């Protein structure tokens, strides 16, 4: 996400991995576990999280921690993969070592692959954990993103997959099977 310079000065980048934190473009950075952030209670306006919750075994602890650091009326905005999508189905079906091989072949510069647990990656769980931790959901949207086409994947597999995503993305009834959930 790109921000104006005056806003960049107010953003705090958080990551447990030091290499990713150093690569973070923002001035203010904290190396920490997102389950226990060294940030004063009620001091943050907005928390933005992208593709993180699926990698946590205890997303409820992180949701609680995010609620703690937010000011009253603060917002949590996040993007996560949908466990009910085609991609989510195959991700849950395949062992972790296959994920590592796939992403290494698909994106040669992909730095690492973190295990996925999908404990917070559907509308019902989002609503439950949000409510349990004092959040009110303003909006949940489904989107189709189009994953990278690895050069080793035959077009007769990848093209139908893209067509299925397009159908899902354009159908009101099938939208809940889109591969991405964005929530505020």
């Amino acid at each position: 996400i790109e921000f104006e310079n005056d806003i960049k000065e107010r953003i705090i980048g958080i990551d447990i991995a030091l290499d990713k934190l150093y690569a973070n473009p923002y001035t203010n950075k904290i190396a920490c576990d997102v389950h226990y952030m060294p940030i004063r209670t009620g001091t943050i306006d907005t928390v933005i999280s992208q593709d993180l919750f699926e990698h946590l075994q205890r997303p409820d602890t992180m949701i609680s921690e995010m609620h703690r650091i937010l000011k009253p009326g603060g917002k949590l905005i996040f993007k996560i993969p949908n466990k009910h999508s085609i991609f989510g189905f195959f991700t849950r079906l395949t062992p972790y070592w296959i994920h590592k091989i796939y992403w290494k072949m698909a994106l040669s510069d992909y730095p690492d692959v973190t295990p996925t647990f999908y404990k917070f990656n559907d509308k019902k769980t989002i609503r439950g954990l949000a409510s349990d931790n004092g959040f009110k959901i303003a909006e949940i949207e489904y989107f189709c993103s189009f994953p990278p086409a690895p050069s080793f994947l035959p077009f007769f597999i990848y093209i139908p997959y893209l067509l299925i995503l397009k159908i899902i993305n354009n159908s009101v009834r099938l939208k809940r099977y889109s591969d991405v959930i964005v929530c505020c």
Side-chain angles (χ1 to χ4, degrees):
I1 300 174
E2 284 296 317
F3 295 101
E4 298 293 325
N5 284 338
D6 60 326
I7 294 174
K8 278 186 181 180
E9 295 301 316
R10 297 176 20 209
I11 294 174
I12 302 169
I14 295 177
D15 208 310
I16 198 165
L18 291 178
D19 59 328
K20 290 183 179 146
L21 195 62
Y22 290 134
N24 188 307
Y26 305 112
T27 306
N28 305 305
K29 303 174 188 185
I30 300 173
C32 70
D33 181 334
V34 292
H35 295 92
Y36 310 100
M37 293 182 272
I39 297 174
R40 285 193 318 252
T41 300
T43 57
I44 303 296
D45 295 311
T46 304
V47 172
I48 299 173
S49 174
Q50 181 174 323
D51 299 323
L52 173 63
F53 291 107
E54 68 274 14
H55 300 293
L56 303 175
Q57 290 199 39
R58 299 281 325 266
D60 54 328
T61 305
M62 182 178 155
I63 295 291
S64 174
E65 183 68 356
M66 288 179 169
H67 189 268
R68 181 191 68 77
I69 67 171
L70 282 167
K71 291 178 180 176
K75 292 183 178 19
L76 167 60
I77 302 166
F78 60 88
K79 173 190 157 288
I80 55 173
N82 180 4
K83 78 177 188 179
H84 298 299
S85 69
I86 296 168
F87 192 77
F89 172 75
F90 284 110
T91 300
R92 288 181 293 131
L93 188 68
T94 56
Y96 175 57
W97 64 270
I98 291 177
H99 299 203
K100 292 172 81 169
I101 291 170
Y102 172 82
W103 285 110
K104 182 75 171 164
M105 293 175 80
L107 299 170
S108 59
D109 63 343
Y110 195 79
D112 61 11
V113 180
T114 308
T116 52
F117 303 103
Y118 286 108
K119 295 187 176 187
F120 186 70
N121 296 73
D122 62 65
K123 209 173 196 175
K124 182 180 177 185
T125 309
I126 291 169
R127 288 190 188 285
L129 279 176
S131 176
D132 291 350
N133 287 283
F135 283 103
K136 292 183 178 107
I137 294 183
E139 194 170 357
I140 297 178
E141 288 287 331
Y142 292 101
F143 294 96
C144 281
S145 66
F146 295 91
S151 57
F152 66 88
L153 194 63
F155 76 92
F156 61 86
I157 293 174
Y158 193 70
I159 298 301
Y161 176 65
L162 291 180
L163 290 173
I164 290 168
L165 286 180
K166 189 168 180 72
I167 290 167
I168 289 170
N169 200 40
N170 293 321
S171 168
V172 174
R173 289 190 135 165
L174 298 175
K175 196 79 165 170
R176 69 176 181 254
Y177 300 109
S178 296
D179 59 333
V180 174
I181 300 172
V182 176
C183 184
C184 179

